[in-house]
Amino acid sequence: MTYDFHASTGYWVTLAAHHYQQHVDAELRPFGITFRQFQVIAWLKYEGPLTQSELARRMTIEPPTLAGIMTRMESMQWIVRASCDQDRRKKFLDVGPAAEPVWEKIVAVLNKVREQATQGMSAEEVEKLHDLLCQVLLNLGETAQPARHEETSVNSS
């Protein structure tokens, strides 16, 4: 039995995502930021306070894996925990006071890698790529998608 990798959407999407993540990680490393730490800050900047289980689900990792990441980030004041008013057992995570300069570095790296990844593509081609990838996600039952044409600003919390 043979499999045509060249014709496999999954192969190309996975390969591109893996290399994109590696480039972001390599560009963040000199600043002492890991790819997973970037994800934590980005999700909290984008969606606001989240529980550990909600954040882990968005990052596609297990909550215990996230716990180790959070411990270091909390000690650096990149994230803070807050109690839920309705359920004192529930804790929300949010962006901490020391995260703003880190976020500025992350945004610069993301813009650099995005530019590198889309080099040679027109704005229309980039938009079409986004549309096609969104369609793939919809076809696979994923409903949580970033809002179209909105940006998470460096100055927003």
Side-chain angles (χ1 to χ4, degrees), residues 92-112:
F92 283 97
L93 305 169
D94 203 356
V95 177
E100 205 57 46
V102 173
W103 181 242
E104 291 176 16
K105 291 175 181 146
I106 290 169
V107 169
V109 164
L110 294 177
N111 286 332
K112 178 181 178 181

Side-chain angles (χ1 to χ4, degrees), residues 36 39 43 54-63 142:
R36 290 299 188 187
Q39 285 186 301
W43 276 112
E54 291 169 335
L55 181 57
R57 187 172 50 255
R58 283 164 178 77
M59 292 175 61
T60 64
I61 60 175
E62 294 298 319
E142 181 60 48

Side-chain angles (χ1 to χ4, degrees), residues 42-140:
W43 276 112
L44 295 176
K45 292 286 266 179
Y46 183 73
E47 291 205 8
L50 295 169
T51 65
Q52 182 176 335
S53 61
E54 291 169 335
L55 181 57
R57 187 172 50 255
R58 283 164 178 77
M59 292 175 61
T60 64
I61 60 175
E62 294 298 319
T65 302
L66 179 57
I69 298 165
M70 290 174 10
T71 300
R72 182 161 190 266
M73 292 181 75
E74 208 170 10
S75 71
M76 297 163 58
Q77 298 185 341
W78 289 358
I79 61 167
V80 293
R81 293 179 204 241
S83 296
C84 174
D85 294 336
Q86 293 80 20
D87 183 351
R88 291 169 41 178
R89 297 168 297 171
K90 188 185 266 188
K91 302 282 187 208
F92 283 97
L93 305 169
D94 203 356
V95 177
E100 205 57 46
V102 173
W103 181 242
E104 291 176 16
K105 291 175 181 146
I106 290 169
V107 169
V109 164
L110 294 177
N111 286 332
K112 178 181 178 181
V113 174
R114 178 190 304 164
E115 188 176 314
Q116 182 181 5
T118 59
Q119 189 175 12
M121 295 182 198
S122 69
E124 294 79 20
E125 289 170 324
V126 171
E127 185 67 26
K128 183 65 174 175
L129 176 60
H130 295 171
D131 290 343
L132 292 169
L133 291 172
C134 283
Q135 186 63 52
V136 169
L137 289 171
L138 285 171
N139 291 346
L140 296 174

